[in-house]
Amino acid sequence: MDFAQHTIDIARRNVTEGGRPFATVIVKDGEILAESANRVAQTDDPTAHAEILAIREACTRLGTEHLVGTTIYVLAQPCPMCLGALYYCSPDEVVFLTTRDAYEPHYVDDRKYFELDTFYDEFAKDWQERRLPMRHEPRDAAVEVYRLWQERNGGERRVPGAPTAA
């Protein structure tokens, strides 16, 4: 099966049904593990991006938060939210089928605090300098939740079984 073409077909079908032009297909061992179109327009859920929905389905099917051994096909370069989720689930590879520069004459997704052209610059800024207003309200009790987690995990700070860089 041509997984890239399948991803394109899902996105095209989503557009004809009133959705947005994005889709994701997750493949493991040559078989489709999960797939989804973007469902933001249909659900009014700003997190219902194709990558997020497909990752949720794949992880549920596998019974793990780690997608080691998978290839994830996405229609376009992932947005910051989806890129974070892709890093977090640790696939072997992400394949994107078009760039923002290529689709920009046809689709723009700018928001109040977010333009794709400048958004990645926001990550490098200190939290006080970002466009999104943020306020730090320190609470010792918040840190205590992490101490409790560490205690309940035998003193270990890392998530058991999580793939690491080293």
Side-chain angles (χ1 to χ4, degrees), residues 80-136:
M81 175 180 66
C82 294
L83 184 60
L86 289 163
Y87 268 88
Y88 226 83
C89 71
S90 306
D92 286 4
E93 182 181 33
V94 174
V95 178
F96 64 95
L97 307 175
T98 189
T99 65
R100 283 186 212 99
D101 289 340
Y103 75 68
E104 194 270 336
H106 313 287
Y107 183 89
V108 176
D109 194 11
D110 291 342
R111 305 291 173 121
K112 182 175 180 179
Y113 303 115
F114 171 102
E115 292 95 23
L116 282 173
D117 289 345
T118 61
F119 191 78
Y120 288 95
D121 297 336
E122 286 286 301
F123 284 110
K125 294 178 183 176
D126 244 2
W127 65 269
Q128 305 96 316
E129 297 171 5
R130 292 183 181 144
R131 292 175 61 188
L132 176 67
M134 299 180 86
R135 176 170 52 98
H136 179 213

Side-chain angles (χ1 to χ4, degrees), residues 1-10 25 27 30 32 73 97:
M1 171 180 256
D2 183 343
F3 300 117
Q5 185 60 52
H6 187 62
T7 305
I8 293 166
D9 294 343
I10 293 168
V25 173
V27 177
I32 294 175
Y73 292 83
L97 307 175

Side-chain angles (χ1 to χ4, degrees), residues 15-55:
V15 169
T16 64
E17 294 171 358
R20 298 201 178 131
F22 301 97
T24 298
V25 173
I26 301 177
V27 177
K28 184 174 178 80
D29 300 326
E31 300 290 327
I32 294 175
L33 178 61
E35 62 183 48
S36 184
N38 178 295
R39 296 283 183 226
V40 172
Q42 295 94 323
T43 63
D44 298 322
D45 176 355
T47 69
H49 288 209
E51 295 94 330
I52 302 298
L53 297 175
I55 288 168

Side-chain angles (χ1 to χ4, degrees), residues 53-70:
L53 297 175
I55 288 168
R56 287 177 184 161
E57 180 185 338
C59 289
T60 298
R61 285 188 68 195
L62 292 175
T64 179
E65 66 194 75
H66 313 297
L67 295 180
V68 174
T70 65

